Amino acid sequence: MALSASLDRDAFCVFYPITTRWADNDIYGHINNVVYYSYFDTVVNRFLIEQAGLNIQEDEIVAFVVQSHCDYLSPLAYPDSIEIGLGVEKLGTSSVTYCLGVFKKGANTASAHGGFVHVFVDKITNKSVSIPVHLRRALELISLKV
């Protein structure tokens, strides 16, 4: 990823609040690294369903995660209130690369950032397909501001 070591809040135009849970903490007293991926998946799919019009039960497509990563810059822990910034780094024919920033509520600098790549495929054939127009339009609206 060509992004800087830390992302500021103003790089993103879409944010979703996340309520941390007691179970998110690990034995070291901070949110466990694997939980961040759950946050990422929740935020991206919430955007696709609520803002882009993806119908996960009826649409003939599904988005598969084919690559993911996260850089951890400062610890967060329950009961922190956090906000996830979501943006599109790259939009291809059948794939999209998301960037996500994890912010302690009100903070300007991300405590963690990462992303993943979705490839859109036909549910029956599992072959990649072009991103449908209604999804593409929504994804274009959240291109990163960096």
Side-chain angles (χ1 to χ4, degrees), residues 61-111:
I61 61 165
V62 65
F64 289 160
V65 175
V66 298
Q67 185 271 336
S68 63
H69 70 280
C70 186
D71 296 322
Y72 309 96
L73 306 171
S74 61
L76 295 168
Y78 174 84
D80 288 338
S81 294
I82 61 175
E83 301 164 313
I84 310 289
L86 171 63
V88 168
E89 185 177 346
K90 180 181 176 190
L91 188 56
T93 302
S94 63
S95 66
V96 58
T97 303
Y98 303 101
C99 182
L100 296 109
V102 182
F103 297 86
K104 189 170 188 174
K105 187 174 182 179
N108 187 49
T109 302
S111 293

Side-chain angles (χ1 to χ4, degrees), residues 3 6 26 29 31 37 44 48 51 82 95 122 134-135 141:
L3 299 174
S6 68
D26 60 20
I31 295 173
Y37 290 100
V44 168
L48 290 174
Q51 302 299 316
I82 61 175
S95 66
D122 181 280
H134 67 286
L135 294 177
L141 293 174

Side-chain angles (χ1 to χ4, degrees), residues 7-13 15 86-87 103 142-146:
L7 290 175
D8 288 338
R9 178 176 290 276
D10 61 3
F12 300 95
C13 57
F15 288 86
L86 171 63
F103 297 86
I142 62 166
S143 292
L144 286 179
K145 299 186 252 178
V146 291

